[in-house]
Amino acid sequence: MGSDTGTIIAADTVSADTALYDLLIVGGGINGAGIARDAAGRGASVLLVEQHDLASHTSSASTKLIHGGLRYLEYYEFRLVREALMERERLLRIAPHIIWPLSFVLPHSRLVRPAWMLRLGLFLYDHLGGHLGGRMTLPRSRAVRLHDDPAGLPLRDEYRRGFIYSDGWVQDSRLVVLNAMDARARGAEIRTRTTLVRARRAGTVWEAELADARGGPVRTVRARALVNAAGPWVDRVLRDRLGVATTKHVRMVKGSHIVVPRQFDGEQAYILQNPDRRIVFVIPYEQDFTLIGTTDVPWTSDPGQVEISPEEIRYLCDSVNRYFHKPIAPSDVVWSYAGVRPLYDDAAQNASAVTRDYVLDVDVPDGVSGATPGGAPLLSIFGGKITTYRRLAEHALEKLTPYLPVVTGAGWTADQPLPGGDLGPGGFDAVLERLRADAPFLPERTAWRLARNYGTRAWAIIGDARQMADLGEEFGAGLTAREVDYLLREEWAETADDILWRRSRLGLHVGRDDAARLERYVNARRTGAPGPSGQAPIAMAS
Ligand SMILES: Cc1cc2nc3c(=O)[nH]c(=O)nc-3n(C[C@H](O)[C@H](O)[C@H](O)COP(=O)(O)OP(=O)(O)OC[C@H]3O[C@@H](n4cnc5c(N)ncnc54)[C@H](O)[C@@H]3O)c2cc1C
């Protein structure tokens, strides 16, 4: 917990103009949210600002794997793979509702890599993370004869041998929101749709101007330390908002995914090797769909304006058609998304080879050192994976604490469940069974989705409902007014898009008319107009 010096000028005891926080975090992606949670739990007063919605950029555009990154072994990234494999175990424990195991079929293609190389890579993958005071809980990899195994059925006949291994699947944007919720529960302030316009050092603190996209005056706050977790914007924040020069830079690499109607039976995913040595994942998605990705395309334009190109769509279709019986064409694509990886620029020639590890850079004025507290440190984050966010947050705080004596205490996030993740001994299945028993009127898919999205918090949505009608207006695919109200009240949702594409992926299932009706409902709840069934306006999350 913070020492007295940290609470003398606590954020809520001074006027809005001069509020002083220990930490101002710029960026509400996974790294910003993870640092906010960790720091708040160590007693720091934290303000996180996100210019758009939480997870509205890279952290909702990932392949959604909690993985060591099998292919990074080829680039000798042993540190990263080991840390990521250890994190995979931890995250499966602290967020078992939104993260679950997924098995991957790796068909052997002798044109790309010899079988011995795959076997060696998988051996390392099975063992690199295994010293974490216990065994890995996911099954070890194994060889498979694809003609004799149901997992081989969708694959073309020339693929006879392969391997099966396991990794984790994550609802990426929900991981961000749950970290932000837990940070708030521990005292952090989370402000979405709030941009850091500029900041400068004023003595031993930062003075920062914040603009609210909903209107209102620019607000000034002060902070003892600044964390630049702006992902693909990290360079721009340094240069344009802070005027700080740095020798480290971000390398932006676009990655895109396509979604097509479900291509195969079974819960297994596939990892395909392409002739260019890249790999492409093919993953069962949202029950009715298959997710295919990703690409590596150098990117130099605005990271906020990124979308898939026709060439990328063709590339992903070709990858699938090389391996699967059932061909796909660009016309099968029902949805696509693209994101920009904010990689640390290690001067690699090829975009696929740029390190996926992270680098934390601390900037302090001349004459300030870790031995002299204060000095308004600035920590910038380059690179990182969703998988390693928790450890990255710990490293970030280790870097900052010498300058911030107010932030005390050791790392604590390894074992503390994220909101709704306290599933208990029976795990997910037991929670789902209880939910079905308490709310037998829920359609099967809705019960599953509520348990998966909210874990033990699902009861905060169903409350005392005894029939579907008690949950209020329906917007399609099992989304009801009660759930929408919960998302507005607890999870910073403010638009239909926030709900359909980030708090859930119901956008894939809900029709256009229902989405428009949802938008009207959300607007009415936010602006105070009586809701369609006369409800009072809702208190938004803050
Ligand atoms: C195609 C693709 C696939 C991937 N697949 C995986 C995977 O399967 N597994 C995995 O572990 N990782 C994966 N990753 C990597 C992972 O998604 C990223 O490393 C991670 O999401 C980066 O998070 P971040 O918080 O640094 O950035 P972001 O999520 O982009 O967050 C930064 C935020 O800062 C905000 N911001 C910027 N400037 C300002 C400002 N001035 N004021 C306020 N806010 C500001 C932005 O709006 C943004 O929301 C993938 C990435 C991509 C692109």
Side-chain angles (χ1 to χ4, degrees):
M1 289 285 120
S3 68
D4 285 343
T5 39
T7 46
I8 287 172
I9 326 176
D12 55 354
T13 59
V14 292
S15 80
D17 286 341
T18 54
L20 175 64
Y21 298 86
D22 294 326
L23 227 55
L24 170 60
I25 300 172
V26 184
I30 190 59
N31 288 326
I35 293 171
R37 177 188 191 223
D38 193 339
R42 296 188 201 209
S45 60
V46 175
L47 171 64
L48 180 149
V49 292
E50 163 54 50
Q51 63 184 350
H52 301 128
D53 182 26
L54 290 173
S56 45
H57 295 283
T58 319
S59 296
S60 59
S62 81
T63 311
K64 302 164 208 326
L65 302 181
I66 294 297
H67 64 157
L70 184 57
R71 82 172 187 86
Y72 309 145
L73 290 173
E74 229 169 29
Y75 295 100
Y76 308 108
E77 298 239 34
F78 297 117
R79 193 213 77 80
L80 172 65
V81 176
R82 185 155 160 275
E83 181 172 294
L85 287 169
M86 287 160 62
E87 284 305 290
R88 188 181 70 178
E89 283 293 311
R90 291 195 177 107
L91 298 181
L92 280 163
R93 278 205 307 264
I94 66 170
H97 48 335
I98 59 160
I99 300 178
W100 60 92
L102 182 62
S103 66
F104 289 81
V105 179
L106 166 56
H108 169 232
S109 163
R110 87 187 52 185
L111 298 175
V112 189
R113 290 176 187 87
W116 67 261
M117 191 183 276
L118 299 181
R119 217 175 280 121
L120 176 65
L122 286 166
F123 176 84
L124 286 172
Y125 207 65
D126 284 340
H127 291 89
L128 262 178
H131 78 292
L132 184 69
R135 60 188 184 85
M136 305 296 276
T137 51
L138 295 183
R140 291 226 163 127
S141 62
R142 61 184 171 89
V144 62
R145 284 178 193 282
L146 294 170
H147 287 188
D148 303 335
D149 193 290
L153 281 177
L155 296 173
R156 289 165 60 142
D157 294 342
E158 62 256 44
Y159 300 102
R160 295 162 172 273
R161 299 165 63 192
F163 299 88
I164 297 188
Y165 72 97
S166 297
D167 259 326
W169 169 260
V170 61
Q171 307 200 53
D172 53 4
S173 39
R174 291 208 58 73
L175 185 65
V176 178
V177 171
L178 296 188
N179 271 278
M181 284 172 77
D182 202 49
R184 178 184 58 196
R186 294 169 196 276
E189 239 181 87
I190 311 287
R191 284 204 224 141
T192 58
R193 294 172 162 97
T194 302
T195 303
L196 174 88
V197 181
R198 85 176 58 84
R200 62 177 190 91
R201 287 189 171 102
T204 57
V205 297
W206 283 95
E207 230 169 56
E209 291 175 20
L210 308 176
D212 186 336
R214 306 167 196 90
V218 170
R219 190 179 170 219
T220 306
V221 296
R222 296 181 302 144
R224 292 191 170 90
L226 191 67
V227 174
N228 176 4
W233 284 266
V234 62
D235 277 2
R236 289 162 198 239
V237 165
L238 280 164
R239 191 188 58 221
D240 303 339
R241 314 284 191 180
L242 309 178
V244 170
T246 170
T247 52
K248 300 195 170 59
H249 294 287
V250 77
R251 172 108 165 244
M252 296 197 288
V253 177
K254 176 171 74 148
S256 304
H257 292 80
I258 55 175
V259 174
V260 297
R262 189 170 187 124
Q263 289 299 297
F264 52 85
D265 293 330
E267 291 307 311
Q268 73 287 352
Y270 294 82
I271 170 170
L272 311 178
Q273 308 177 70
N274 283 354
D276 61 4
R277 296 184 70 79
R278 292 194 65 263
I279 47 117
V280 165
F281 292 103
V282 182
I283 303 172
Y285 191 52
E286 287 285 319
Q287 285 108 349
D288 305 328
F289 301 95
T290 299
L291 174 68
I292 301 159
T294 178
T295 53
D296 281 299
V297 181
W299 190 255
T300 48
S301 317
D302 181 353
Q305 303 293 327
V306 59
E307 59 180 34
I308 194 167
S309 68
E311 294 75 34
E312 288 174 281
I313 296 179
R314 189 73 260 167
Y315 175 89
L316 293 173
C317 290
D318 288 349
S319 304
V320 169
N321 295 343
R322 210 172 280 125
Y323 282 87
F324 283 79
H325 283 303
K326 188 174 167 191
I328 59 167
S331 56
D332 293 318
V333 174
V334 295
W335 186 52
S336 66
Y337 61 87
V340 175
R341 300 176 183 86
L343 304 180
Y344 172 64
D345 191 354
D346 61 359
Q349 288 195 339
N350 166 343
S352 304
V354 181
T355 182
R356 263 53 176 174
D357 212 342
Y358 52 85
V359 169
L360 306 177
D361 186 47
V362 180
D363 173 88
V364 283
D366 289 344
V368 172
S369 75
T372 51
L378 161 68
L379 176 87
S380 297
I381 296 161
F382 300 86
K385 304 277 300 167
I386 287 189
T387 308
T388 48
Y389 86 92
R390 195 202 63 80
R391 198 64 194 106
L392 181 151
E394 283 182 343
H395 281 142
L397 286 164
E398 281 160 23
K399 289 258 187 193
L400 283 174
T401 41
Y403 307 97
L404 283 177
V406 58
V407 180
T408 57
W412 59 274
T413 54
D415 304 309
Q416 293 297 316
L418 283 160
D422 49 344
L423 299 186
F428 177 77
D429 291 344
V431 165
L432 180 57
E433 204 171 301
R434 245 177 42 230
L435 189 64
R436 282 200 197 110
D438 289 353
F441 54 86
L442 287 176
E444 185 58 35
R445 269 195 181 199
T446 305
W448 186 89
R449 186 178 61 77
L450 293 181
R452 271 290 170 223
N453 281 11
Y454 307 104
T456 54
R457 300 267 164 128
W459 279 264
I461 293 167
I462 58 161
D464 56 0
R466 305 207 163 258
Q467 52 187 341
M468 261 328 258
D470 295 340
L471 297 177
E473 186 175 356
E474 282 194 58
F475 301 97
L479 179 67
T480 63
R482 277 264 191 107
E483 185 176 353
V484 172
D485 288 356
Y486 173 87
L487 294 172
L488 300 179
R489 198 176 58 236
E490 303 291 336
E491 296 199 2
W492 298 275
E494 292 189 32
T495 67
D497 269 6
D498 296 351
I499 292 168
L500 296 176
W501 295 108
R502 285 177 289 278
R503 302 309 177 280
S504 73
R505 299 285 165 163
L506 286 172
L508 278 166
H509 306 277
V510 165
R512 206 179 281 182
D513 290 349
D514 283 335
R517 202 156 46 82
L518 173 64
E519 187 73 57
R520 286 198 294 278
Y521 177 86
V522 168
N523 285 337
R525 297 296 269 152
R526 290 188 55 222
T527 55
S533 21
Q535 310 97 319
I538 198 151
M540 307 291 293
S542 62

